[in-house]
Amino acid sequence: MCIRDSSLHYTIRFIMKYFKDDPTVGINPGDGFLINDCHYGGIHSPDQHLFMPLFVAGELVGWTVCAMHEGEIGAKVPGGMGPTCESIWDEGFRGSPIKLVEDYRLKTDLVTLVQNNSREPHIILADLKARLASCERMETRFMEQVGQHGVDSLIGFMRGNVEYMQGEARRRIAALPDGTMRQTMYIDGTMREPALLRCNYNFTIKGDRVLVDMRGSSPELYNRPINSLLSTQAIGITLAMAHYIWPDLPAAQAILDNFDFVSDPASILDATDEVPVGLCMQGAFKALTATELSFSKFYFGASKRYAKTKAGWFNQPQSIIYGGVNQHLDSVGNMCGELNGMAGGAKHDDDGEHSLAPNFGAMTDLGETEAAEEGLPFIYAISKRLWPDNTGFGKFRGGAAYQFGLMRFGDQPFGFQGFTTGTTFPSTLGLWGGYACPTYAVCRIRGKNLFEEFKAKPELFKADMFELMNEQAIEGATYLVSELAVDFDFYGEGELFMQSQGAGGGYGDVLERDPQRVMKDVEEGIASPATARDLY
């Protein structure tokens, strides 16, 4: 299950309610409906989803969907979720469900409309074709199973999965002791200025139900894009339960059928329709980590566990959004694949994994550095390099994270921005005394063409953000350290934009760590000698 999979039933319900019997729309074999507006069941504007109905003998029996990120949807700045977005009108294309496909063919007029709302029209078309092909392939596989087993058996099998999850989740909740686990998370900035925004999560088990009480969270921000819908919170909790607490169960929305929610309307976790939500994953990821930690505590003394008790997986989309004109003179705007390099939290019996996968999609890849460089006007001056002490310390440490840096080439207009939080308050917490992940910053070297500087003096080049920023060896260059949310700006050739992916939380008291593990971390460059001496 990925974050996009756990909300899409809302869209199907909308289409069924408003379009099924509408003679101007209707639902027919070969139709396809596109959305990207989270108010209709999506996640946030840069995610676009294509839905296709499944008909057997003229009867609508199911749906296929291909949901994927679309990096450029015509927002105020490239990427669709920049820090400077201050209203719903700044966030680009707002697609309520529209019938973009008829008779298995993309409708040219509507495709053109969607393309014209993006800085990457060629990518929009390619991705729409990919979504359509994926939905058709799923339909083909579905019909093969219908032919082999019959439609009633197949529908019964799918319904059985849902009902099994409802009943099994209820049984597992009832087996846990009644009580409340409280987890307060903080977002440490509004994307434009520092702030501590409270995200309250109180999980109460009573019998076979869970109450999620989010009251007391900070109010929504009228002109900042980090507000979250209540449905987005439910998505984050669904993901945590499916990935980390009950990974053995079939992945379906029914995992939350035994959960009830209460919140303050017009809060940062239950926003109104009038405020921007392009960066609502800030709130969704807080829900994911809060659930992960709270249920790890519920299960600490349980007679049976279904996954290892562990600290928080890193939970921020730490990456770089870019936009402008590339070396092939195409208009582009998207984010780098470093978003997907989140590190795992420490487990109760072992260290966490280094920069493995995002907390919202366990099978998601980072992409290849060379592929990015081939189509975009930058090089990775620093690429996926682990550096010491970038981890959550503990008896078992969280997975380590890597640094990366993009250096511009060419003179066409092209720029970067940052779009996350965690500079002054850790985004991912440890468990049972384990340390949280570090805090992070964006580092930049501007005002000089580093290609020329490094060519003239090769010894100045260091593929390491720490060394480059502390030595400041380039005369006349401007060295900048700032929060992770950085406004979009154009960059000149040879200017360098650097950042670090984040680390997983630690588990247990650092003083209980096996000295052999400490020494191994020092030998592998995961911990510095100073940390080994002073902390452990």
Side-chain angles (χ1 to χ4, degrees), residues 453-462 467-468 471 473-474:
E453 298 293 328
F454 294 151
K455 182 178 180 180
K457 297 180 179 179
E459 67 276 9
L460 295 179
F461 174 70
K462 306 288 177 60
E467 292 187 49
L468 288 170
E471 293 178 3
I474 309 298

Side-chain angles (χ1 to χ4, degrees), residues 111-142:
V111 169
T112 303
L113 171 66
V114 177
Q115 286 180 290
N116 285 343
N117 280 274
S118 170
R119 295 174 177 85
E120 286 194 336
H122 54 297
I123 298 297
I124 289 286
L125 179 58
D127 286 349
L128 287 173
K129 290 179 177 179
R131 291 183 183 90
L132 177 56
S134 297
C135 288
E136 289 190 61
R137 178 61 62 87
M138 286 185 277
E139 181 186 52
T140 298
R141 293 289 180 262
F142 181 83

Side-chain angles (χ1 to χ4, degrees), residues 6-262:
S6 49
S7 68
L8 302 181
H9 59 101
Y10 296 117
T11 307
I12 295 171
R13 292 176 179 179
F14 180 91
I15 294 171
M16 292 290 289
K17 180 177 181 179
Y18 293 104
F19 293 166
K20 183 175 182 292
D21 299 319
D22 186 330
T24 67
V25 187
I27 304 173
N28 303 294
D31 285 349
F33 296 86
L34 185 78
I35 74 147
N36 78 315
D37 190 334
C38 61
H39 298 90
Y40 294 89
I43 303 299
H44 61 157
S45 299
D47 286 333
Q48 292 187 1
H49 324 294
L50 187 70
F51 297 78
M52 293 192 71
L54 294 169
F55 284 86
V56 177
E59 180 183 1
L60 178 60
V61 298
W63 291 81
T64 67
V65 57
C66 180
M68 55 190 280
H69 187 87
E70 193 65 57
E72 176 37 53
I73 42 87
K76 178 181 179 181
V77 290
M81 47 182 174
T84 57
C85 291
E86 294 188 352
S87 76
I88 57 177
W89 315 113
D90 289 341
E91 295 185 317
F93 183 69
R94 299 176 63 204
S96 58
I98 55 173
K99 188 188 287 189
L100 197 75
V101 178
E102 286 186 342
D103 194 23
Y104 301 99
R105 292 182 296 180
L106 292 166
K107 292 173 59 64
T108 302
D109 54 346
L110 294 181
V111 169
T112 303
L113 171 66
V114 177
Q115 286 180 290
N116 285 343
N117 280 274
S118 170
R119 295 174 177 85
E120 286 194 336
H122 54 297
I123 298 297
I124 289 286
L125 179 58
D127 286 349
L128 287 173
K129 290 179 177 179
R131 291 183 183 90
L132 177 56
S134 297
C135 288
E136 289 190 61
R137 178 61 62 87
M138 286 185 277
E139 181 186 52
T140 298
R141 293 289 180 262
F142 181 83
M143 294 307 174
E144 289 174 355
Q145 296 301 311
V146 169
Q148 184 174 353
H149 302 287
V151 65
D152 290 340
S153 295
L154 196 56
I155 293 175
F157 169 75
M158 292 189 294
R159 170 55 59 185
N161 265 343
V162 173
E163 293 177 353
Y164 167 76
M165 175 169 283
Q166 291 170 329
E168 179 63 11
R170 186 178 304 117
R171 187 192 68 78
R172 293 183 181 189
I173 293 169
L176 293 171
D178 287 358
T180 299
M181 295 296 175
R182 297 177 175 87
Q183 192 69 57
T184 300
M185 310 288 290
Y186 289 95
I187 301 172
D188 68 356
T190 69
M191 294 290 149
R192 301 296 293 278
E193 50 272 316
L196 271 183
L197 306 171
R198 185 172 60 250
C199 301
N200 265 355
Y201 299 95
N202 298 323
F203 293 84
T204 297
I205 291 179
K206 187 174 183 180
D208 59 4
R209 298 201 66 80
V210 179
L211 175 66
V212 185
D213 187 345
M214 296 178 287
R215 289 174 297 185
S217 298
S218 294
E220 68 182 14
L221 301 176
Y222 187 75
N223 60 350
R224 296 293 183 265
I226 59 173
N227 303 291
S228 169
L229 300 180
L230 185 58
S231 59
T232 306
Q233 293 299 301
I235 291 165
I237 293 170
T238 302
L239 285 169
M241 299 303 297
H243 282 187
Y244 303 118
I245 310 303
W246 300 330
D248 58 314
L249 289 181
Q253 294 89 346
I255 205 166
L256 279 194
D257 279 3
N258 305 296
F259 284 65
D260 301 305
F261 294 85
V262 60

